[in-house]
Amino acid sequence: MIKNASLLCLPLALTIFVAPIYFAVAYALPIPQEQVLEMPVSEQVLSLVGAVEAKRVKNSTDFNLQAANITANNDAERILLHYCRGLVALQNKQFDNSVDALEKANNLLAKLPEQLQASAPFYHYYQALSDAYVGLGNYQQGYHYRRTYLIKFAEEFEHTEQLQLAQLEERYQIKQREQVNLLLAEQSKLKQAEVARIELKKQEQERYAIILMCICIVFLLMIFRQLQIRKKLKWLAKTDTLTGLSNRDHLFKIAHQLVERAHSNEQALSALVIDVDQLKRINNEFGYGVGDAVLQEVARLGQEVMRSRDIFAHLEAEEFIAVLPEADNVSAQAIANNFAAKISAKPLLVANHSIEVTVSIGIASLTEQIRDVDALIKAADDAMYLAKRSGNGQVASFNPTAQINAL
């Protein structure tokens, strides 16, 4: 008998020793917000439970005063009121009253949902009931309820820990998502900045391209202008500005080439020296402007008579020269007669003046005695003076024996 009692007392003593630690921790643990929201218990009842567990209710009289205005609406509130009444009796060493109130709570506990039974403060009455039975000397019941309390406490502690871990995990995931969102936002900003940089670079490249294009256009315009100037200079270098015909230098340059080709190909070649009759009188009578206009009209009519391969040039003052490739003396005479007739056919209307104009023409062709340009032009010039001696509007061919053929 004594041996069985000692075996029973040993675990009871251990639980009694450990109980205050768990008791302190249990009361220190806050009621999880999820459980409070699920409890069908009023704030007045929960407030009373907190006051009793904090030992702010001194005795049964104080408890009855505070509980007088509280009406239990369900089994959960009745259990907590019985628990508070039993705990107040326990704190005042009224073990019988404590056991009686706590057993009433125990009888109602089975009516609550299991989740509610395992939550604080509903299982706290096991600890109070254990202390009450120990106070009555019933160590077996004290051990039984202490063990039940510790199991419930451990279960709730584990459940609370799991809830806290879940909350921490959720917070961690939220934090991770926030960090990911921040990272994505930063990446988006970087991409936007990169796009803006690329767009800016593109705009700069476009500006550079436009500037380069403008420079190229200006450069091309300058080249085109230079080409025009060069063309103009070349034209001026070989053109008489008054008549638009070839000038002296260009005439002799082309004439030398034509003479060489005529010798090489054994072809005929002739030259005409044309002198506008009475040009000095026209200048004196009508003015130099009218005289220049007469020269321009003679040049225009001469171009109509000349062939496309002929070289027609204004030599100086009233003199013109024409070099006729592949034309013998007979062909040259025909061209000269046509020219003289076209000039004298009708008066020239120049600057509102009707002026009769004639030309004297000398003809010379390449022969064994006349083989170069200078000799050819001199012979044609001599023939022109022979024509002038015969009167205005005459055509004469060069004759080495100084005979004049008036046509």
Side-chain angles (χ1 to χ4, degrees):
M1 184 71 176
I2 297 173
K3 183 178 181 181
N4 292 334
S6 62
L7 289 175
L8 182 62
C9 292
L10 181 59
L12 182 60
L14 290 174
T15 57
I16 293 173
F17 177 75
V18 177
I21 300 174
Y22 281 99
F23 188 76
V25 174
Y27 289 155
L29 285 174
I31 300 174
Q33 188 66 21
E34 294 81 0
Q35 295 179 7
V36 172
L37 293 175
E38 293 176 0
M39 290 179 188
V41 179
S42 65
E43 290 293 332
Q44 290 179 315
V45 174
L46 290 176
S47 178
L48 180 60
V49 171
V52 171
E53 288 182 342
K55 297 182 179 181
R56 292 197 300 272
V57 180
K58 302 300 182 181
N59 48 49
S60 298
T61 303
D62 290 342
F63 174 77
N64 291 331
L65 288 174
Q66 295 189 32
N69 297 324
I70 298 175
T71 301
N73 296 316
N74 51 52
D75 290 334
E77 292 182 347
R78 295 185 188 95
I79 290 172
L80 292 178
L81 289 176
H82 290 312
Y83 164 65
C84 290
R85 187 175 286 106
L87 188 58
V88 171
L90 177 63
Q91 292 170 357
N92 288 278
K93 309 297 184 179
Q94 298 172 1
F95 301 117
D96 290 330
N97 294 336
S98 178
V99 169
D100 183 59
L102 294 172
E103 285 292 352
K104 289 179 181 179
N106 190 29
N107 293 332
L108 293 173
L109 188 63
K111 297 180 181 181
L112 297 182
E114 291 184 1
Q115 186 177 2
L116 201 58
Q117 293 180 30
S119 62
F122 291 97
Y123 68 86
H124 288 178
Y125 84 93
Y126 288 116
Q127 181 179 1
L129 191 56
S130 173
D131 291 340
Y133 274 115
V134 170
L136 293 174
N138 189 345
Y139 296 109
Q140 185 173 3
Q141 286 292 94
Y143 170 76
H144 169 71
Y145 285 114
R146 179 70 65 177
R147 185 175 182 276
T148 304
Y149 165 73
L150 293 176
I151 292 172
K152 295 290 184 180
F153 173 78
E155 290 176 352
E156 189 197 27
F157 187 83
E158 183 179 0
H159 177 67
T160 303
E161 187 178 38
Q162 291 176 352
L163 288 176
Q164 292 176 346
L165 287 175
Q167 291 174 352
L168 289 174
E169 179 68 20
E170 183 179 0
R171 291 175 184 173
Y172 174 76
Q173 291 178 356
I174 292 173
K175 190 67 175 178
Q176 286 292 101
R177 286 195 294 270
E178 290 177 352
Q179 291 178 351
V180 170
N181 291 336
L182 288 175
L183 181 60
L184 292 175
E186 289 296 326
Q187 290 177 349
S188 178
K189 290 180 181 179
L190 290 175
K191 288 182 180 179
Q192 292 176 356
E194 181 66 16
V195 170
R197 187 186 67 81
I198 293 173
E199 185 65 24
L200 181 61
K201 186 176 181 180
K202 182 180 178 181
Q203 293 177 357
E204 290 180 354
Q205 290 175 347
E206 290 177 352
R207 285 197 296 269
Y208 292 150
I210 292 173
I211 293 172
L212 181 61
M213 187 179 299
C214 292
I215 292 173
C216 291
I217 291 173
V218 172
F219 186 69
L220 290 175
L221 290 175
M222 291 176 63
I223 293 176
F224 181 72
R225 179 63 178 167
Q226 289 297 324
L227 290 175
Q228 285 185 322
I229 293 173
R230 176 180 286 186
K231 184 178 179 180
K232 183 69 174 178
L233 291 174
K234 286 184 177 179
W235 182 84
L236 290 174
K238 64 182 183 180
T239 304
D240 176 65
T241 56
L242 176 62
T243 61
L245 301 177
S246 296
N247 60 17
R248 181 188 183 93
D249 293 339
H250 186 250
L251 168 71
F252 279 92
K253 178 181 178 181
I254 300 301
H256 281 292
Q257 296 174 0
L258 293 176
V259 169
E260 290 179 4
R261 188 172 67 184
H263 287 308
S264 299
N265 299 330
E266 296 182 355
Q267 295 175 341
L269 185 142
S270 300
L272 307 180
V273 173
I274 303 148
D275 186 85
V276 179
D277 298 326
Q278 302 298 321
L279 181 63
K280 184 175 181 181
R281 178 185 63 80
I282 293 172
N283 287 333
N284 293 334
E285 185 175 348
F286 300 103
Y288 285 94
V290 173
D292 291 342
V294 168
L295 292 175
Q296 291 172 348
E297 189 65 16
V298 171
R300 184 184 68 80
L301 294 174
Q303 285 179 311
E304 292 179 359
V305 173
M306 299 299 166
R307 302 169 301 174
S308 60
R309 59 180 176 274
D310 297 337
I311 302 300
F312 187 35
H314 180 216
L315 189 64
E316 60 184 3
E318 66 274 16
E319 286 191 358
F320 294 86
I321 294 179
V323 179
L324 313 175
E326 301 178 18
D328 57 11
N329 191 264
V330 175
S331 299
Q333 285 183 5
I335 294 172
N337 288 331
N338 189 17
F339 189 10
K342 195 174 186 69
I343 295 294
S344 60
K346 58 182 179 179
L348 301 182
L349 185 60
V350 179
N352 297 323
H353 297 287
S354 181
I355 304 173
E356 293 184 358
V357 179
T358 59
V359 292
S360 299
I361 303 175
I363 304 169
S365 300
L366 290 178
T367 62
E368 291 296 329
Q369 292 78 26
I370 303 173
R371 299 191 59 84
D372 56 30
V373 174
D374 292 336
L376 181 65
I377 299 300
K378 184 177 184 309
D381 190 58
D382 291 342
M384 185 269 295
Y385 279 109
L386 289 175
K388 272 188 169 296
R389 290 174 188 174
S390 300
N392 294 333
Q394 300 299 311
V395 176
S397 295
F398 176 74
N399 189 335
T401 61
Q403 294 179 353
I404 302 175
N405 298 323
L407 304 178

